[in-house]
Amino acid sequence: MTIRIPAAGTSGDPSVARGARQSRTAWAPVLKRLLGAVLASAAMFHGPAFSADPKPLKVGVRGGVDEQIWEVVTQVAKKNGLAVEPVVITGTASPNEALNNGDLEANAFQHIPFLNDQIKQRGYKLVPVANTLISPIAFYSKKYKSLKDLPEGAKVGIPNDPSNQTRALVILRDHGLITLKDGFDPATGTATLADVTSNPKKLNFVESASVVLARSLPDVDTAAIVNSFAYQVGLIATRDGIAVEKKENNPYVNIIAVREKDKDAPWVPALVKAYHSEEVRQFILSKYEGSVIPVF
Protein backbone atom coordinates (compact mmCIF):
# COMPACT_ATOMS: atom_id res chain seq x y z
CA MET A 1 0.00 0.00 0.00
CA THR A 2 1.39 3.40 -1.00
CA ILE A 3 0.74 6.51 1.10
CA ARG A 4 0.97 9.83 -0.68
CA ILE A 5 1.59 12.83 1.58
CA PRO A 6 0.72 16.32 0.20
CA ALA A 7 3.90 18.35 -0.36
CA ALA A 8 4.46 21.63 1.48
CA GLY A 9 4.06 24.84 -0.56
CA THR A 10 7.20 26.28 -2.16
CA SER A 11 5.89 29.73 -3.13
CA GLY A 12 7.11 32.86 -1.29
CA ASP A 13 3.49 34.07 -0.93
CA PRO A 14 2.53 33.95 2.83
CA SER A 15 -1.04 33.02 1.89
CA VAL A 16 0.26 29.98 0.05
CA ALA A 17 2.34 28.99 3.09
CA ARG A 18 -0.68 29.38 5.35
CA GLY A 19 -2.71 27.22 2.97
CA ALA A 20 -0.02 24.55 3.05
CA ARG A 21 0.00 24.57 6.83
CA GLN A 22 -3.79 24.30 6.92
CA SER A 23 -3.63 21.47 4.38
CA ARG A 24 -1.15 19.53 6.51
CA THR A 25 -3.35 20.04 9.61
CA ALA A 26 -6.42 18.80 7.78
CA TRP A 27 -4.59 15.75 6.50
CA ALA A 28 -3.13 14.71 9.89
CA PRO A 29 -6.11 12.58 11.06
CA VAL A 30 -6.31 10.93 7.65
CA LEU A 31 -2.61 10.05 7.66
CA LYS A 32 -2.89 8.64 11.18
CA ARG A 33 -5.71 6.35 10.09
CA LEU A 34 -3.82 5.27 6.97
CA LEU A 35 -0.68 4.46 8.94
CA GLY A 36 -2.75 2.45 11.41
CA ALA A 37 -4.27 0.49 8.54
CA VAL A 38 -0.83 -0.30 7.12
CA LEU A 39 0.44 -1.59 10.47
CA ALA A 40 -2.68 -3.70 10.98
CA SER A 41 -2.30 -5.14 7.47
CA ALA A 42 1.34 -6.00 8.11
CA ALA A 43 0.43 -7.79 11.31
CA MET A 44 -2.31 -9.73 9.54
CA PHE A 45 -0.04 -10.96 6.75
CA HIS A 46 3.14 -11.56 8.70
CA GLY A 47 1.75 -12.87 12.01
CA PRO A 48 2.86 -11.87 15.51
CA ALA A 49 6.02 -9.79 15.45
CA PHE A 50 7.98 -12.06 17.77
CA SER A 51 11.20 -10.97 16.10
CA ALA A 52 10.58 -7.36 17.17
CA ASP A 53 11.92 -8.42 20.56
CA PRO A 54 15.56 -9.46 20.04
CA LYS A 55 15.57 -11.39 23.33
CA PRO A 56 15.12 -15.11 22.52
CA LEU A 57 12.99 -17.53 24.50
CA LYS A 58 15.27 -19.59 26.72
CA VAL A 59 14.27 -23.26 26.85
CA GLY A 60 15.98 -25.56 29.34
CA VAL A 61 16.94 -28.98 27.97
CA ARG A 62 19.27 -31.83 28.84
CA GLY A 63 22.30 -32.56 26.70
CA GLY A 64 22.28 -35.28 24.06
CA VAL A 65 18.92 -36.18 22.51
CA ASP A 66 16.94 -33.15 23.69
CA GLU A 67 19.74 -30.78 22.78
CA GLN A 68 19.93 -32.15 19.25
CA ILE A 69 16.16 -32.06 18.74
CA TRP A 70 15.93 -28.48 19.98
CA GLU A 71 18.57 -27.39 17.48
CA VAL A 72 16.06 -28.38 14.79
CA VAL A 73 13.16 -26.79 16.69
CA THR A 74 15.16 -23.56 16.88
CA GLN A 75 15.66 -23.52 13.10
CA VAL A 76 11.95 -24.11 12.45
CA ALA A 77 10.95 -21.42 14.96
CA LYS A 78 13.34 -18.94 13.36
CA LYS A 79 11.66 -19.40 9.97
CA ASN A 80 8.37 -18.49 11.66
CA GLY A 81 9.81 -15.37 13.29
CA LEU A 82 10.31 -16.80 16.78
CA ALA A 83 13.75 -16.62 18.40
CA VAL A 84 14.53 -19.64 20.61
CA GLU A 85 17.70 -20.31 22.60
CA PRO A 86 18.08 -23.86 24.02
CA VAL A 87 19.94 -23.83 27.33
CA VAL A 88 21.60 -27.13 28.20
CA ILE A 89 21.24 -27.91 31.92
CA THR A 90 24.04 -30.22 33.02
CA GLY A 91 24.67 -32.48 36.00
CA THR A 92 22.24 -32.29 38.89
CA ALA A 93 21.12 -28.71 38.20
CA SER A 94 17.33 -28.46 38.02
CA PRO A 95 15.64 -27.15 34.84
CA ASN A 96 12.45 -26.83 36.89
CA GLU A 97 14.15 -24.63 39.48
CA ALA A 98 15.54 -22.43 36.71
CA LEU A 99 12.13 -22.18 35.04
CA ASN A 100 10.30 -21.46 38.27
CA ASN A 101 12.82 -18.73 39.13
CA GLY A 102 12.35 -17.03 35.76
CA ASP A 103 15.79 -17.86 34.34
CA LEU A 104 14.03 -19.80 31.56
CA GLU A 105 10.78 -19.27 29.66
CA ALA A 106 10.18 -23.01 29.18
CA ASN A 107 11.81 -26.40 29.60
CA ALA A 108 11.50 -29.74 27.81
CA PHE A 109 13.14 -32.68 29.54
CA GLN A 110 10.54 -34.45 31.72
CA HIS A 111 7.30 -36.38 31.80
CA ILE A 112 4.17 -35.43 33.73
CA PRO A 113 4.65 -37.81 36.71
CA PHE A 114 8.10 -36.29 37.30
CA LEU A 115 6.72 -32.75 37.02
CA ASN A 116 3.84 -33.55 39.36
CA ASP A 117 6.26 -34.93 41.93
CA GLN A 118 8.45 -31.82 41.67
CA ILE A 119 5.41 -29.57 42.12
CA LYS A 120 4.31 -31.59 45.15
CA GLN A 121 7.76 -31.59 46.74
CA ARG A 122 8.89 -28.05 45.93
CA GLY A 123 5.78 -26.03 45.21
CA TYR A 124 6.72 -25.01 41.68
CA LYS A 125 4.11 -23.04 39.72
CA LEU A 126 4.62 -24.90 36.43
CA VAL A 127 2.22 -26.44 33.90
CA PRO A 128 2.59 -28.70 30.82
CA VAL A 129 1.57 -27.13 27.49
CA ALA A 130 2.43 -29.84 24.93
CA ASN A 131 3.56 -33.44 24.49
CA THR A 132 6.87 -34.06 22.77
CA LEU A 133 8.17 -37.64 22.77
CA ILE A 134 8.54 -40.86 24.68
CA SER A 135 12.08 -41.52 25.80
CA PRO A 136 11.99 -45.13 27.00
CA ILE A 137 13.88 -46.22 30.08
CA ALA A 138 15.65 -49.57 29.80
CA PHE A 139 17.84 -51.94 31.75
CA TYR A 140 21.38 -52.32 30.42
CA SER A 141 24.16 -54.72 31.37
CA LYS A 142 27.77 -55.39 30.53
CA LYS A 143 27.44 -58.93 31.91
CA TYR A 144 24.04 -60.41 31.01
CA LYS A 145 21.83 -60.65 27.93
CA SER A 146 18.46 -60.58 29.70
CA LEU A 147 16.93 -59.96 33.11
CA LYS A 148 16.09 -63.65 33.51
CA ASP A 149 19.84 -64.39 33.49
CA LEU A 150 20.46 -62.34 36.64
CA PRO A 151 21.79 -64.50 39.48
CA GLU A 152 20.44 -64.49 43.02
CA GLY A 153 21.62 -61.42 44.89
CA ALA A 154 22.46 -59.53 41.69
CA LYS A 155 23.33 -55.87 42.11
CA VAL A 156 20.63 -53.85 40.32
CA GLY A 157 20.97 -50.10 39.82
CA ILE A 158 17.75 -48.10 39.77
CA PRO A 159 17.13 -44.33 39.63
CA ASN A 160 16.62 -42.58 42.96
CA ASP A 161 13.95 -40.12 41.78
CA PRO A 162 10.36 -41.31 42.34
CA SER A 163 9.07 -41.34 38.76
CA ASN A 164 12.01 -43.10 37.12
CA GLN A 165 12.34 -45.52 40.03
CA THR A 166 8.69 -46.39 39.38
CA ARG A 167 9.42 -47.03 35.71
CA ALA A 168 12.30 -49.35 36.62
CA LEU A 169 10.24 -51.29 39.15
CA VAL A 170 7.42 -51.71 36.63
CA ILE A 171 9.86 -53.29 34.15
CA LEU A 172 11.09 -55.70 36.81
CA ARG A 173 7.48 -56.51 37.72
CA ASP A 174 6.52 -57.10 34.09
CA HIS A 175 9.45 -59.51 33.73
CA GLY A 176 8.45 -61.47 36.83
CA LEU A 177 11.41 -60.54 39.02
CA ILE A 178 9.38 -58.71 41.68
CA THR A 179 5.78 -57.99 42.62
CA LEU A 180 4.38 -54.64 43.72
CA LYS A 181 1.59 -53.79 46.15
CA ASP A 182 -1.94 -54.58 45.07
CA GLY A 183 -3.75 -51.85 43.18
CA PHE A 184 -0.65 -49.99 42.10
CA ASP A 185 -1.12 -48.05 38.83
CA PRO A 186 1.83 -46.11 37.35
CA ALA A 187 -0.59 -43.73 35.63
CA THR A 188 -1.85 -42.42 38.95
CA GLY A 189 1.00 -42.92 41.40
CA THR A 190 4.61 -43.80 42.03
CA ALA A 191 6.24 -46.84 43.60
CA THR A 192 9.35 -47.18 45.75
CA LEU A 193 11.33 -50.11 47.09
CA ALA A 194 8.98 -50.08 50.08
CA ASP A 195 6.19 -51.14 47.72
CA VAL A 196 8.01 -54.32 46.61
CA THR A 197 6.02 -57.17 48.11
CA SER A 198 8.18 -60.04 46.85
CA ASN A 199 11.74 -60.35 45.56
CA PRO A 200 12.40 -64.08 44.91
CA LYS A 201 15.96 -63.59 43.64
CA LYS A 202 16.83 -61.32 46.55
CA LEU A 203 18.02 -58.62 44.17
CA ASN A 204 20.33 -56.09 45.81
CA PHE A 205 19.04 -52.67 44.76
CA VAL A 206 21.42 -49.74 44.40
CA GLU A 207 19.64 -46.38 44.22
CA SER A 208 21.48 -43.57 42.46
CA ALA A 209 21.01 -40.54 40.21
CA SER A 210 20.45 -41.43 36.56
CA VAL A 211 23.56 -39.57 35.44
CA VAL A 212 25.64 -41.69 37.85
CA LEU A 213 24.05 -44.96 36.76
CA ALA A 214 24.89 -44.25 33.13
CA ARG A 215 28.58 -43.85 33.93
CA SER A 216 28.92 -46.68 36.47
CA LEU A 217 27.19 -49.51 34.58
CA PRO A 218 30.25 -51.83 34.86
CA ASP A 219 29.98 -51.62 38.66
CA VAL A 220 26.58 -53.34 38.79
CA ASP A 221 25.03 -56.41 37.19
CA THR A 222 22.38 -54.32 35.47
CA ALA A 223 21.00 -50.80 35.74
CA ALA A 224 17.88 -48.98 34.62
CA ILE A 225 19.01 -45.84 32.81
CA VAL A 226 16.89 -43.00 31.49
CA ASN A 227 17.31 -42.76 27.73
CA SER A 228 18.71 -39.21 27.67
CA PHE A 229 21.61 -40.24 29.91
CA ALA A 230 22.05 -43.63 28.23
CA TYR A 231 22.39 -41.89 24.87
CA GLN A 232 25.21 -39.72 26.21
CA VAL A 233 27.29 -42.84 26.87
CA GLY A 234 26.45 -44.47 23.54
CA LEU A 235 23.53 -46.69 24.61
CA ILE A 236 20.23 -46.91 22.73
CA ALA A 237 17.27 -48.63 24.37
CA THR A 238 16.01 -50.63 21.39
CA ARG A 239 19.52 -51.69 20.40
CA ASP A 240 21.35 -52.21 23.68
CA GLY A 241 18.70 -52.64 26.36
CA ILE A 242 18.19 -56.07 27.86
CA ALA A 243 14.66 -55.00 28.92
CA VAL A 244 12.77 -51.93 27.67
CA GLU A 245 9.59 -50.44 29.12
CA LYS A 246 6.41 -50.88 27.11
CA LYS A 247 5.51 -48.06 24.74
CA GLU A 248 1.77 -48.75 24.74
CA ASN A 249 -0.37 -46.75 27.21
CA ASN A 250 2.77 -45.21 28.64
CA PRO A 251 2.08 -42.36 31.11
CA TYR A 252 5.66 -41.16 30.81
CA VAL A 253 5.29 -38.96 27.75
CA ASN A 254 7.71 -36.04 27.79
CA ILE A 255 6.34 -32.51 27.75
CA ILE A 256 7.09 -28.81 27.29
CA ALA A 257 6.49 -26.95 30.56
CA VAL A 258 6.08 -23.23 31.29
CA ARG A 259 5.24 -21.10 34.31
CA GLU A 260 1.54 -20.97 35.16
CA LYS A 261 1.46 -17.23 34.49
CA ASP A 262 2.81 -17.77 30.94
CA LYS A 263 0.50 -20.60 29.82
CA ASP A 264 -1.64 -18.20 27.76
CA ALA A 265 1.26 -16.10 26.44
CA PRO A 266 1.19 -15.60 22.64
CA TRP A 267 4.60 -17.23 22.19
CA VAL A 268 3.48 -20.56 23.71
CA PRO A 269 1.47 -21.85 20.71
CA ALA A 270 4.22 -20.62 18.39
CA LEU A 271 6.81 -22.61 20.35
CA VAL A 272 4.60 -25.71 20.35
CA LYS A 273 3.97 -25.36 16.61
CA ALA A 274 7.72 -25.29 15.96
CA TYR A 275 8.23 -28.51 17.93
CA HIS A 276 5.20 -30.21 16.38
CA SER A 277 6.45 -29.52 12.87
CA GLU A 278 7.02 -32.20 10.26
CA GLU A 279 10.72 -31.27 10.14
CA VAL A 280 11.13 -32.15 13.82
CA ARG A 281 9.07 -35.34 13.50
CA GLN A 282 11.17 -36.63 10.61
CA PHE A 283 14.41 -35.73 12.39
CA ILE A 284 13.41 -37.76 15.45
CA LEU A 285 12.32 -40.77 13.40
CA SER A 286 15.43 -40.86 11.22
CA LYS A 287 18.01 -39.91 13.85
CA TYR A 288 16.99 -42.16 16.72
CA GLU A 289 15.59 -45.16 14.84
CA GLY A 290 12.62 -45.71 17.13
CA SER A 291 14.37 -45.46 20.47
CA VAL A 292 12.91 -41.97 20.84
CA ILE A 293 9.35 -41.73 19.59
CA PRO A 294 7.47 -38.51 18.67
CA VAL A 295 3.98 -38.30 20.15
CA PHE A 296 2.53 -35.51 18.03
Side-chain angles (χ1 to χ4, degrees), residues 2 19 22 24 50 63 90 109 129 138 156 173 179 185 222 247 256 264 279 284:
T2 301
Q22 292 170 353
R24 287 196 298 272
F50 296 112
T90 59
F109 77 104
V129 294
V156 178
R173 181 199 66 182
T179 57
D185 182 355
T222 185
K247 298 179 178 67
I256 298 173
D264 296 319
E279 294 97 318
I284 294 172

Side-chain angles (χ1 to χ4, degrees), residues 26 46 189 207 284 295:
H46 296 287
E207 301 177 83
I284 294 172
V295 289

Side-chain angles (χ1 to χ4, degrees), residues 8-296:
T10 56
S11 169
D13 188 336
S15 65
V16 175
R18 283 195 302 272
R21 287 194 296 271
Q22 292 170 353
S23 177
R24 287 196 298 272
T25 301
W27 270 89
V30 178
L31 292 176
K32 185 176 181 179
R33 289 195 298 271
L34 287 172
L35 286 171
V38 171
L39 292 175
S41 177
M44 179 178 69
F45 286 103
H46 296 287
F50 296 112
S51 58
D53 183 359
K55 182 180 178 181
L57 294 172
K58 292 184 178 180
V59 181
V61 302
R62 292 295 190 185
V65 173
D66 285 331
E67 180 183 6
Q68 293 172 346
I69 293 172
W70 275 90
E71 288 175 357
V72 181
V73 177
T74 298
Q75 295 169 9
V76 174
K78 184 177 180 181
K79 291 191 296 185
N80 295 330
L82 181 66
V84 176
E85 179 185 345
V87 178
V88 178
I89 309 296
T90 59
T92 58
S94 171
N96 281 333
E97 184 77 18
L99 176 57
N100 194 69
N101 290 345
D103 297 323
L104 303 170
E105 278 71 50
N107 67 36
F109 77 104
Q110 65 193 325
H111 45 65
I112 289 179
F114 182 83
L115 174 61
N116 288 342
D117 181 71
Q118 292 263 290
I119 291 171
K120 179 180 178 180
Q121 297 295 328
R122 305 184 186 184
Y124 294 144
K125 302 295 184 182
L126 308 177
V127 295
V129 294
N131 292 336
T132 56
L133 50 80
I134 293 175
S135 181
I137 191 172
F139 277 90
Y140 300 88
S141 178
K142 297 292 187 180
K143 305 172 184 177
Y144 302 100
K145 298 296 184 181
S146 70
L147 289 180
K148 68 179 182 180
D149 296 332
L150 293 177
E152 184 170 326
K155 187 180 291 186
V156 178
I158 59 173
N160 60 4
D161 66 275
S163 58
N164 287 315
Q165 184 165 123
T166 299
R167 298 169 77 181
L169 293 176
V170 167
I171 294 174
L172 294 174
R173 181 199 66 182
D174 291 347
H175 283 76
L177 274 71
I178 63 171
T179 57
L180 296 172
K181 64 181 180 181
D182 290 340
F184 167 71
D185 182 355
T188 59
T190 57
T192 69
L193 291 176
D195 298 311
V196 176
T197 55
S198 70
N199 179 11
K201 283 193 173 184
K202 298 180 175 58
L203 302 176
N204 179 20
F205 293 107
V206 179
E207 301 177 83
S208 187
S210 294
V211 64
V212 175
L213 291 173
R215 302 185 185 284
S216 57
L217 183 58
D219 300 329
V220 295
D221 292 303
T222 185
I225 305 174
V226 177
N227 198 47
S228 56
F229 292 109
Y231 187 81
Q232 291 180 29
V233 295
L235 298 173
I236 296 177
T238 54
R239 184 190 68 196
D240 305 306
I242 64 172
V244 184
E245 71 179 331
K246 296 177 181 178
K247 298 179 178 67
E248 297 76 18
N249 302 315
N250 193 323
Y252 297 101
V253 173
N254 282 14
I255 57 165
I256 298 173
V258 303
R259 291 186 294 277
E260 284 184 358
K261 67 178 184 178
D262 290 333
K263 64 184 178 66
D264 296 319
W267 52 262
V268 171
L271 183 65
V272 173
K273 181 180 178 181
Y275 197 107
H276 287 186
S277 65
E278 190 61 25
E279 294 97 318
V280 173
R281 179 198 298 274
Q282 291 303 320
F283 175 80
I284 294 172
L285 292 174
S286 61
K287 176 72 174 179
Y288 305 111
E289 300 176 340
S291 62
V292 177
I293 304 169
V295 289
F296 53 90

